[in-house]
Amino acid sequence: MSDVHVYKKSPAEFNLGQRRARKSMRGQIMMFSLMIFLTIMSFSMVMAYQADVIGFSKYLIIPTLMLFAAVQVGLQLYYFMHMNEKGHGIPQMFMYTGVIFAFVVVLTFLTIVWW
Amino acid sequence: MSSVAQKRGFGATLWDWLTTVDHKKIGILYLLGGGFFFIVGGIEAMIIRLQLLTPNNDLVSAGIFNQIITMHGTTMIFLAAMPILIGFMNAIMPLQIGARDVAFPFLNSLGFWMFFFGGVFLNISWFFGQVPDAGWTSYASLAMASEGHGVDFYAIGLQIAGGGTLLGGINFLVTIINMRAPGMTYMRMPLFTWTTFVASAMILFAFPPLTVGLFLLTFERMFGANFFDPTMGGNTIIWEHIFWIFGHPEVYILILPAFGIFSEIFTIFSRKRLFGYSAMVFATVLIGFLGFMVWAHHMFTVGLGPTANAIFSVATMAIAIPTGVKIFNWLLTIWGGSIKVTTPMLWALAFIPTFVMGGVTGVMLGTAPLDYQLHDTYFVVAHFHYVIVGGTVFGILAGTHLYWPKMFGTMLNETLGKVTFWFFFFGFHLTFLIQHWLGFWGMPRRVFTYMDGQGWNSANVISSVGALLMAIGITVMVYNIIVTSIKNVRVANDPWGDGRTLEWAIESPPLFYNFAQTPLVRGLDTVYIEKMEGNLSGITPAEPVQDIHMPNGSFIPFMLSLGLFIAGFGAMFRTEEPWGMAVLVIGLVWTFAAMAMRSLKDDLGYYVKKEDILKDMKRKGGQK
Ligand code: HEM
Ligand SMILES: [Cu+2]
């Protein structure tokens, strides 16, 4: 085997690590609650539409649902898949490139190819 | 292979090659596989030119002609040009960034075997007598009307081979992002590494649409779906969009690595650093990006309407700008250099005017109104052969001569190399220049014969003679390779004498662990910098000599790809043969068993001992 170095953390480092972990845990729980809240909202909106509650028209609900969905994807990626942390620049770049390509293709079809 | 000649039996050697995960050996395998299919595609091309030699010729029937042109295009693009380029990327790119292998050696080998079995699958169609005949673009209306299993061979074979390419692309991306030696910042990467990076990113984004398209086609033909059948509510044009959303990036995947090889050649043999390095990098990235925005220029005549045609026309022409930036930078690299006209340099010098001609006809075709005249004529055939042969194939042939010593440790004969060049260069222009006029005179592409008295006869004769000259050139090269391998005169680290990047500072071929010590990179053209400062080894090590972790070989990639290959036949004969379904299931189970084996069995690799490395270093007596 190659030479293995064992690295011992100092108490200060250990504390810092703990504090960071606690902070990230707090963020995750907050975001998790937010996501559940958004999900409940979405469901109740659709229920309200089906129960013919006044003011819940298709044209309000569909865009709102799409917006919520986008927010959920963002939260998922940034909080639960840790893209908000350091060292994720390259995956972000590739993901956004892919999103841009997909967006341009869809936009092209919707604007100049089919209509 | 180690530098000591080891005597091994044939069986052991074969086993070694079947199970290797060494990027250098996989590079060689790609070169062999791609080279084989290049010859097959070349023979098909010769038959095409023989058939078109005279009017009303009946050497082959119309049906067989369709099969031959389809297989020629498919083979050349997917089974020859791409694999050979991937072979160079494999063999050279890790050396250029100072890495010991690619990031995922296992996937690398899987990628190769998937390409290989996919290619074999496609070509086995010849033995069944049911060959793809809907063109390399396999437009859905033709593909659905095609009888027999021809197009099924196309869909499944390309699916398997394409999966291999996608694996390769992802692997190169991760390698370049994570495995650069200390000091090798992005803006110090050699241009071939950069073009590998951008081409791999394009593979990452362009191949999934192909995969989807091929799946739709597979289900359409074999499982009763109706995506493309207008009588069932489908839409044939969808296939064209999907294919070209993949297809146009694909042509840039083909050209960018060739650009990289030429950039290396221009700096080495002009003995100057590359002019405008950062502009070159920027242009490469921009070409990669714009390549995704222009697919509809292949569909101007479909009837998308003037708005779409105008926008795609402008977008298409925009690509000529970064391409022009590159051309001027190459010219300025040569300008004032101390030029050595070796065989690779000859190819590179010939590439510039040839490729510019192809680019100019590209812009002509990108002009939508003119494309209405030229679409589906020989003018298009001339255009894409000028860019693909004049760019990609010239690049491959140049790269073969340039990197042969690095990959095999022997030098191809320069005189024979120049003979190859002149035959091929002259033959190429003879074949394809006249085809521009054939297009103007109205000869449609993909016709199996033509009537007398339309003024096309002599042009076709000229074209066929040119093809013969190219074939002679390639034959000379094969002869050159055989003679060189038999003579087996070994060469030193930097046989060209002016290598500037890391691959030229280590043995030819490199030891299996590439670098005894990971190098420290101190700038662009790091070996050149070291040599100018008096360090003749060209490398400053970044670490002490220590044990090196290396991956174990594996037979699983071969078996996994074989499983897909078997499943392919099952899918095809599922309904008409009693054994079809069973074979499909067996193939898939086989594949999943191979995957499970890989997942469940830990394979932690092994260490090369420090003492052995020191022994190797002493033997070569170089670096301290
Ligand atoms: C300045 C750059 C380029 C422009 C503006 C351009 C434009 C075009 C256009 C408009 C067509 C469609 C012609 C038609 O079917 O009517 C075409 C076809 C084609 N181009 Fe290019 N092109 C360029 C560079 C390249 C490069 C670099 C390659 C490959 C290395 C390439 C490969 C092809 C191929 C293979 C086709 C024919 C596809 C088929 O229908 O089978 N082009 N090009
Ligand atoms: Cu194109």
Side-chain angles (χ1 to χ4, degrees):
Chain A
M1 288 299 279
S2 73
D3 312 309
V4 177
H5 303 281
V6 178
Y7 179 73
K8 256 193 136 40
K9 283 184 183 167
S10 72
E13 274 177 315
F14 186 76
N15 280 339
L16 183 70
Q18 287 237 312
R19 222 173 24 229
R20 288 229 175 100
R22 222 175 298 134
K23 204 168 130 208
S24 118
M25 189 65 181
R26 198 163 51 223
Q28 295 214 0
I29 287 181
M30 260 159 51
M31 292 310 142
F32 188 56
S33 331
L34 182 59
M35 286 169 84
I36 290 189
F37 176 69
L38 288 178
T39 312
I40 294 176
M41 289 271 287
S42 316
F43 270 105
S44 24
M45 272 193 310
V46 176
M47 298 292 279
Y49 169 72
Q50 284 190 328
D52 288 325
V53 177
I54 308 237
F56 284 87
S57 82
K58 251 191 353 207
Y59 300 99
L60 171 70
I61 294 180
I62 292 177
T64 320
L65 282 183
M66 303 239 257
L67 183 71
F68 283 7
V71 173
Q72 297 251 21
V73 170
L75 291 180
Q76 173 74 27
L77 287 174
Y78 277 86
Y79 280 87
F80 295 100
M81 300 182 79
H82 300 279
M83 257 169 56
N84 55 351
E85 287 164 22
K86 260 206 235 81
H88 289 66
I90 299 276
Q92 284 193 29
M93 185 190 81
F94 274 94
M95 286 178 58
Y96 283 117
T97 312
V99 168
I100 291 174
F101 285 157
F103 179 75
V104 168
V105 169
V106 173
L107 188 75
T108 312
F109 279 108
L110 293 184
T111 52
I112 58 177
V113 174
W114 282 334
W115 284 284
Chain B
M1 243 178 280
S2 91
S3 52
V4 214
Q6 285 166 325
K7 270 265 175 281
R8 269 194 302 188
F10 175 73
T13 312
L14 184 68
W15 180 251
D16 181 43
W17 284 91
L18 288 179
T19 60
T20 186
V21 295
D22 180 343
H23 72 97
K24 300 176 287 301
K25 285 188 180 166
I26 292 179
I28 292 174
L29 285 176
Y30 266 115
L31 221 58
L32 285 175
F36 170 74
F37 286 121
F38 184 72
I39 303 288
V40 172
I43 292 170
E44 285 156 1
M46 295 311 291
I47 299 175
I48 297 174
R49 279 321 319 169
L50 216 54
Q51 162 68 18
L52 295 175
L53 181 64
T54 52
N56 291 317
N57 198 354
D58 59 359
L59 175 72
V60 295
S61 70
I64 293 184
F65 187 85
N66 285 348
Q67 301 176 347
I68 294 176
I69 56 157
T70 301
M71 286 304 280
H72 166 69
T74 313
T75 304
M76 283 304 195
I77 290 200
F78 292 100
L79 308 179
M82 296 256 320
I84 294 176
L85 290 173
I86 292 182
F88 284 129
M89 296 178 189
N90 251 311
I92 304 303
M93 180 275 287
L95 305 180
Q96 287 196 328
I97 62 174
R100 295 215 166 94
D101 207 322
V102 290
F104 306 118
F106 177 91
L107 286 190
N108 201 12
S109 142
L110 182 59
F112 169 75
W113 288 111
M114 281 177 73
F115 141 66
F116 181 77
F117 277 110
V120 171
F121 192 91
L122 254 172
N123 277 282
I124 277 184
S125 60
W126 288 114
F127 297 101
F128 280 74
Q130 303 178 354
V131 187
D133 56 0
W136 84 279
T137 51
S138 203
Y139 276 11
S141 34
L142 298 176
M144 287 186 311
S146 165
E147 281 164 17
H149 282 298
V151 175
D152 303 345
F153 276 108
Y154 172 95
I156 297 177
L158 280 193
Q159 192 70 277
I160 300 176
T165 308
L166 188 57
L167 288 179
I170 294 174
N171 208 346
F172 292 140
L173 283 176
V174 180
T175 306
I176 295 174
I177 291 169
N178 287 336
M179 300 186 51
R180 283 164 290 131
M184 176 66 81
T185 57
Y186 283 108
M187 291 311 276
R188 286 178 184 173
M189 294 194 316
L191 239 281
F192 181 61
T193 300
W194 257 113
T195 52
T196 300
F197 185 74
V198 176
S200 302
M202 294 185 77
I203 288 177
L204 178 67
F205 291 119
F207 269 69
L210 177 69
T211 307
V212 171
L214 289 175
F215 265 126
L216 297 186
L217 188 61
T218 309
F219 279 87
E220 175 97 27
R221 282 185 55 98
M222 280 166 261
F223 296 88
N226 293 300
F227 299 106
F228 305 124
D229 184 354
T231 60
M232 304 295 283
N235 182 342
T236 52
I237 303 297
I238 283 284
W239 165 270
E240 296 186 25
H241 280 292
I242 296 178
F243 186 85
W244 288 118
I245 285 173
F246 147 79
H248 188 82
E250 165 69 16
V251 303
Y252 280 93
I253 296 169
L254 288 174
I255 198 64
L256 285 181
F259 282 178
I261 292 174
F262 287 127
S263 302
E264 303 289 335
I265 291 173
F266 283 128
T267 55
I268 292 176
F269 298 110
S270 305
R271 290 184 263 188
K272 266 174 73 185
R273 64 174 279 175
L274 193 68
F275 186 90
Y277 171 83
S278 40
M280 284 299 244
V281 170
F282 182 70
T284 308
V285 176
L286 195 63
I287 289 177
F289 200 78
L290 287 178
F292 283 87
M293 313 286 172
V294 297
W295 77 89
H297 66 212
H298 296 272
M299 303 169 59
F300 284 146
T301 56
V302 165
L304 303 177
T307 318
N309 279 5
I311 290 177
F312 277 103
S313 209
V314 173
T316 299
M317 291 177 189
I319 297 199
I321 296 169
T323 314
V325 167
K326 286 187 154 277
I327 300 282
F328 283 112
N329 279 333
W330 285 319
L331 290 177
L332 290 168
T333 305
I334 314 173
W335 189 289
S338 125
I339 301 169
K340 271 203 281 191
V341 186
T342 56
T343 308
M345 188 64 169
L346 258 183
W347 287 109
L349 291 172
F351 151 77
I352 293 187
T354 310
F355 186 81
V356 167
M357 289 168 74
V360 168
T361 53
V363 175
M364 288 170 73
L365 290 169
T367 317
L370 187 52
D371 187 65
Y372 266 76
Q373 301 299 316
L374 299 175
H375 180 65
D376 264 347
T377 67
Y378 259 80
F379 190 86
V380 176
V381 178
H383 157 66
F384 67 72
H385 282 92
Y386 262 80
V387 277
I388 293 188
V389 181
T392 308
V393 176
F394 278 23
I396 284 172
L397 295 174
T400 306
H401 288 89
L402 176 70
Y403 288 126
W404 193 269
K406 194 40 72 185
M407 294 175 75
F408 297 94
T410 56
M411 194 83 163
L412 287 179
N413 182 300
E414 276 287 290
T415 315
L416 286 178
K418 286 178 181 158
V419 173
T420 301
F421 169 80
W422 285 112
F423 269 109
F424 196 92
F425 176 74
F426 195 65
F428 165 75
H429 283 281
L430 206 56
T431 307
F432 293 108
L433 189 65
I434 193 79
Q435 292 189 358
H436 293 104
W437 279 273
L438 269 177
F440 289 143
W441 296 332
M443 178 162 166
R445 69 187 280 203
R446 292 176 173 168
V447 287
F448 93 105
T449 191
Y450 49 93
M451 307 277 265
D452 203 357
Q454 302 184 85
W456 301 342
N457 298 8
S458 40
N460 273 299
V461 172
I462 293 173
S463 200
S464 295
V465 171
L468 183 66
L469 296 186
M470 281 194 274
I472 294 175
I474 294 296
T475 312
V476 172
M477 191 173 91
V478 173
Y479 172 76
N480 191 357
I481 289 174
I482 295 173
V483 170
T484 306
S485 307
I486 293 177
K487 280 196 192 142
N488 200 18
V489 183
R490 310 307 292 183
V491 294
N493 294 2
D494 184 6
W496 298 110
D498 293 297
R500 307 166 75 87
T501 43
L502 282 171
E503 74 268 31
W504 302 112
I506 51 179
E507 295 81 351
S508 310
L511 297 179
F512 67 99
Y513 49 79
N514 295 357
F515 296 91
Q517 294 154 289
T518 300
L520 178 71
V521 177
R522 295 175 51 217
L524 183 62
D525 294 343
T526 172
V527 171
Y528 175 80
I529 296 177
E530 297 285 352
K531 288 197 169 158
M532 283 300 113
E533 294 180 358
N535 175 1
L536 288 185
S537 77
I539 287 187
T540 301
E543 60 176 16
V545 179
Q546 56 191 18
D547 294 358
I548 296 175
H549 185 220
M550 295 298 288
N552 285 323
S554 169
F555 193 48
I556 296 176
F558 183 93
M559 296 306 265
L560 207 163
S561 317
L562 184 61
L564 291 172
F565 180 79
I566 294 171
F569 282 104
M572 213 152 58
F573 293 109
R574 186 182 54 101
T575 48
E576 60 202 58
E577 302 281 351
W579 45 264
M581 195 65 199
V583 169
L584 175 59
V585 173
I586 292 174
L588 288 179
V589 169
W590 184 311
T591 306
F592 283 109
M595 284 185 192
M597 196 132 106
R598 168 68 179 171
S599 313
L600 299 177
K601 206 175 116 246
D602 276 338
D603 183 355
L604 301 175
Y606 67 99
Y607 281 90
V608 186
K609 288 276 175 304
K610 188 170 160 182
E611 299 81 67
D612 296 336
I613 300 166
L614 287 171
K615 228 180 286 165
D616 283 343
M617 288 171 79
K618 196 166 303 148
R619 192 171 42 239
K620 69 183 139 131
Q623 292 164 37
K624 269 144 258 146

